[in-house]
Structure formats: C-alpha cells, structure tokens
Amino acid sequence: MKNIIFISPNFPANYWIFCRELKNNGMNVLGIGDQPYEELPGQLKDSLSEYFWVSSLENDEEVYRAVAFLIYRHGRIDWLESNNEYWLERDARLRTAFHIASGFQEEDIPRVKYKSEMKKYYRQAGIPVARHHMVDTLEDCLSFVAQVGYPVVAKPDNGVGATHTFKIASDSQMQRFFRDKEQDVSYIMEEFVDGEVNSYDAIIDSNGEPLFETGNVTPVSIMDVVNQNDNSLFYIRKTLPEDIRTLGRATAKSFGVKSRFVHFEFFRLVRDQEGLGKAGDVVALEVNMRPSGGVTPDMINFAHSTDVYKIWADMIAFDFSTMPAGHHSYCAFVGRRDGKNFVMKHTDILEKYHENLRMVERIPDVLSGAMGNQMYIATFDTMEEVERYYKDMLECKPEKEVPAAQSTGKLIKADKAENAEKAEESKKP
C-alpha cells in the first residue's frame, strides 16, 4: 500500500474528493491541516487513515514535525501533495527534505513559480512571450516603457492570482505604482498583451503524456476583476482547440512535467501586436503546476461528464486511467458581486435556468477577490446559450439619482432581502 500525505485536504472544500478517490484506489491517505479534526466534514474523515492537526499551515516547523511523525507512524512516504498554488514551494521543500522522489523538488521551483524564469521554457517550446523588465528604478522602468509603450502590467515575479497586480497607463500611474507597490517584493513588468485568456488543463502521467485534456476561456481579465471589484466569469470549453492542445503539450514537455494536474495559461490575441503575432495567435502567459482553482475541477466534470478527481487519483496509484468522458458541453461560471443592482434576482435565475444550473453557492471570502461573492455554474450545448446566460446574469439596472442617504438605505434593504432569499434557497435540497 502506498502512503500519500495530502496537505490541507479540507481547503478548498472540494479537495476532500481527491482524498476519497486515493483511498478508493487502495492508498493510505494521511492528512495535515489547520482545521481541528472534530470540525472536519465526515466525508473527509472517512477518506483519511490519519490526520495531523497543526495550529497554522504557515508554520513550517509544525508542518515539518507533522511529516516526520507520519513517517514514524507509517513508514516511507510515496507521495506528498497539496494541489494548491499557495503551498507549491513548501511541498517541494518537504519532498526534498524527506527524500520523497515523486513531484517537484526544491531545485525545480524557480522555473515553475517565477514568471521571469517561465519565459525561457515557453520560448524553448516555440511559444512567443511578452517582453519584460525586472522592476528596479523608476528611470529604468520608464526606459522600458519607451521601448514597448503604455500600458504595461507590473506584478510579483512569484505571485498567486492577480494580487498586487498593476496596469500602468501613464507616467503618473508609474510613479503611483512605485509608491504603492510592496517594497520587499520582486516585480516583473511586461508589455500589455491585448488578448483573451485561454487555458490548457491536463492530468499528465509519469511519461509526460496527457491522460485527460480540456481548457477554459476567461473573457474578462482576472486582474480587472480584482482591481475593479468586478463580477467574474469564465467557461470550460466544449472542445479544446487544436492549437491550444498542441501548445499545451509542448509546454508540458518543455517544463518537464510528470505526474501532475496542470493549468497552463495563454493569451489569444484580439488584435495584431508587433513582436507577438496576428489577431487569433496564441502567446504564453504563465504555468500553474496544479489544478485550476476553486470549483474548476467540478466544472470540468460537468462539462465532460467525467471525474477528474478519479483520473488524478488513478494517475497517482496506477499511472493510467480508464475513466471515460461522456457528453461534452460548455460549463459557464458567473461570480456576482454583492451590492450590484442586477436586473435578474436570485429567484429569477433559479426559475429561468433550473434545467442548466449545476452548482449555486456562496463563495468563501478568501476566494471572493478573484471570484465574486455568489456563484452560479451552468451547462449549455451552444456558445450562443452561454452568451445569453452571461447577459442575463450581469445586466444591471440604471442607477437612479436619489439622495445619498435614501439610496444607501434602499440598497442595504435590498441586499438584506436578497441575501435572506439566498439563505432560504440554500436550505433546499
């Protein structure tokens, strides 16, 4: 029986399913997390052979002691994984420290975590990348802008999501960036790529070959969602385009990916850009050596009538999977922001789209920055239906010019009413 340590099996909430499928495949699943055992969902408890509670997963010393204890109790560890971008580096350090050969080691981290290092491997795969400059002085950054023009995008070289990302369109905004940026963080500055984010999502076996492939499209920039407190939307494709499939596979080979669930991001240009390509061409964005975040694995399952939790666990246990895909459809996500005066209310959505909706839930606060506050996930057979769904979901009533105090009172009252309505609906089976 193989021993696998799963870091943070309780968060995101759907990750307990990875543990269940590992157990179903005969693996000895050992959890390390910061939620007390008695508070874990029963389904997760049933999926674990043992659980080691730490007061904080941020405390490396506690986590190291937990791994050492589990080795003492169960013997050699065959796998250690979190499937979580936030813990990717620490996972690698733990594998290196405890001689766990499967998965990325500490020496692998720069090429899979630092955006500046990723560019080299994308180029090796023959994929264009945006020109960049490592942020140093204001003068040098302005010189970079003189080469590529405004706007430019500055973001942490080693960062998660769109946190601390800046779109800079003028000299005054550049000066503001230098005032507002985190002083102890290394930033990369890139020319702005006018494109739609397309992803390649795959489960890769030990030979670097895909066991399963799909992809998603994000019509709205996650950077804008976070920085402008906007609604969030993306969808899983019904069929993966051949150019994304080809470039995704080439990227996996270039980065030396083996035995992982991956999420690679590309831009599809919406206009011609000098040095990058013509409208419709694909440009590299970044690699993520873990599943696409949040509920995306569930969305992939809805879109392809399959089970990627099982396929991943099959890859770990057997290095192959016989899990089939069934009917293919689009799976569309909408994350709506609280406080917006949407035309279509919660009950209207449930009534109109009851045959399409697959998941309706509140989004945890820790994920709401990039995903909104209330999510609605639905499947459709055509792109026309997806576009109509997005229009319905995001249309807002015009703002009325009323006194501020009166407007605030009405808004609070409306929010309370709708939140109560959602709470009642969530109680229904």
Side-chain angles (χ1 to χ4, degrees):
M1 180 184 291
K2 292 182 178 179
N3 293 322
I4 179 167
I5 292 178
F6 202 102
I7 307 290
S8 188
N10 58 300
F11 186 85
N14 51 324
Y15 274 27
W16 73 270
I17 309 175
F18 285 120
C19 298
R20 181 192 68 191
E21 295 304 324
L22 289 168
K23 181 182 179 182
N24 287 343
N25 282 345
M27 300 196 73
N28 191 36
V29 189
L30 312 168
I32 299 175
D34 56 9
Q35 186 175 8
Y37 180 78
E38 59 272 14
E39 296 178 9
L40 296 179
Q43 294 164 313
L44 175 55
K45 290 179 181 178
D46 293 342
S47 303
L48 300 175
S49 298
E50 187 162 358
Y51 179 77
F52 195 107
W53 172 79
V54 294
S55 63
S56 171
L57 283 171
E58 301 279 1
N59 188 322
D60 281 357
E61 184 178 346
E62 277 194 271
V63 177
Y64 274 71
R65 285 203 307 268
V67 174
F69 176 80
L70 293 173
I71 291 173
Y72 167 75
R73 289 266 292 169
H74 298 271
R76 182 173 65 86
I77 302 300
D78 298 284
W79 291 85
L80 183 147
E81 190 55 76
S82 68
N83 276 341
N84 194 315
E85 183 78 23
Y86 192 77
W87 305 118
L88 199 67
E89 290 179 79
R90 218 257 310 280
D91 289 351
R93 292 198 301 271
L94 288 168
R95 293 190 198 102
T96 301
F98 290 99
H99 308 289
I100 303 168
S102 57
F104 288 119
Q105 304 294 304
E106 194 167 10
E107 65 182 11
D108 298 315
I109 286 302
R111 79 173 187 274
V112 301
K113 280 291 290 177
Y114 289 84
K115 296 173 178 63
S116 55
E117 290 291 320
M118 293 175 190
K119 292 179 181 291
K120 175 169 55 179
Y121 295 91
Y122 269 125
R123 290 193 193 97
Q124 287 177 8
I127 305 170
V129 297
R131 289 172 288 182
H132 76 286
H133 173 76
M134 298 307 298
V135 171
D136 44 15
T137 66
L138 173 62
E139 292 74 18
D140 284 349
C141 287
L142 290 173
S143 296
F144 173 68
V145 170
Q147 300 173 37
V148 302
Y150 283 121
V152 292
V153 175
K155 51 192 173 184
D157 193 25
N158 179 11
V160 179
T163 306
H164 302 299
T165 299
F166 299 80
K167 184 177 179 181
I168 303 166
S170 66
D171 287 356
S172 62
Q173 289 183 9
M174 180 72 77
Q175 292 168 349
R176 190 179 312 131
F177 159 68
F178 269 84
R179 290 196 305 269
D180 295 345
K181 72 181 180 71
E182 299 285 329
Q183 297 305 312
D184 58 346
V185 171
S186 175
Y187 282 81
I188 182 173
M189 185 171 289
E190 297 177 311
E191 62 180 315
F192 180 74
V193 180
D194 196 357
E196 180 182 69
V197 177
N198 285 222
S199 80
Y200 172 81
D201 297 79
I203 298 171
I204 308 292
D205 70 12
S206 66
N207 297 311
E209 300 298 328
L211 298 178
F212 175 85
E213 299 167 296
T214 186
N216 66 48
V217 176
T218 307
V220 177
S221 166
I222 293 295
M223 177 177 63
D224 293 337
V225 171
V226 173
N227 291 341
Q228 300 174 19
N229 199 35
D230 204 350
N231 304 303
S232 175
L233 59 98
F234 70 97
Y235 60 90
I236 306 296
R237 290 182 178 278
K238 186 174 183 176
T239 304
L240 186 64
E242 280 305 312
D243 58 354
I244 296 295
R245 186 188 309 276
T246 299
L247 295 178
R249 291 179 178 184
T251 301
K253 294 291 186 185
S254 182
F255 279 84
V257 178
K258 295 180 180 180
S259 303
R260 293 203 69 78
F261 201 146
V262 298
H263 172 67
F264 300 156
E265 294 179 332
F266 303 91
F267 283 118
R268 189 177 294 280
L269 298 178
V270 299
R271 61 177 176 84
D272 297 354
Q273 282 194 251
E274 186 178 352
L276 291 177
K278 301 289 187 182
D281 288 350
V282 177
V283 176
L285 177 51
E286 66 183 53
V287 296
N288 298 279
M289 299 298 179
R290 43 74 182 173
S292 183
V295 296
T296 307
D298 302 288
M299 292 178 60
I300 293 172
N301 289 345
F302 297 144
H304 302 296
S305 305
T306 190
D307 188 341
V308 293
Y309 299 103
K310 175 171 172 48
I311 297 171
W312 178 83
D314 287 350
M315 177 271 293
I316 297 290
F318 314 122
D319 204 28
F320 71 90
S321 180
T322 57
M323 183 70 203
H327 176 75
H328 295 274
S329 58
Y330 296 95
C331 186
F333 173 97
V334 174
R336 304 210 307 184
R337 292 285 178 197
D338 289 346
K340 292 184 180 290
N341 195 12
F342 294 107
V343 171
M344 185 170 279
K345 299 302 183 184
H346 182 71
T347 51
D348 301 328
I349 297 166
L350 299 183
E351 181 178 353
K352 180 171 182 178
Y353 288 105
H354 68 277
E355 291 185 357
N356 305 93
L357 289 167
R358 299 293 175 263
M359 189 180 292
V360 178
E361 291 182 8
R362 293 292 292 175
I363 297 171
D365 290 343
V366 69
L367 301 175
S368 64
M371 296 180 67
N373 303 108
Q374 175 72 32
M375 70 175 175
Y376 301 86
I377 295 173
T379 56
F380 301 94
D381 285 330
T382 68
M383 196 62 215
E384 290 75 19
E385 291 174 294
V386 173
E387 291 170 348
R388 191 157 53 244
Y389 172 68
Y390 282 148
K391 182 177 183 300
D392 282 347
M393 297 293 287
L394 301 179
E395 185 178 5
C396 289
K397 296 177 182 177
E399 292 184 7
K400 296 179 181 179
E401 292 190 9
V402 295
Q406 181 183 351
S407 174
T408 302
K410 287 185 178 179
L411 183 59
I412 291 172
K413 184 176 180 180
D415 281 350
K416 285 182 177 178
E418 185 166 355
N419 286 338
E421 186 178 68
K422 292 171 186 173
E424 284 302 312
E425 288 294 333
S426 68
K427 297 176 183 177
K428 297 180 181 180

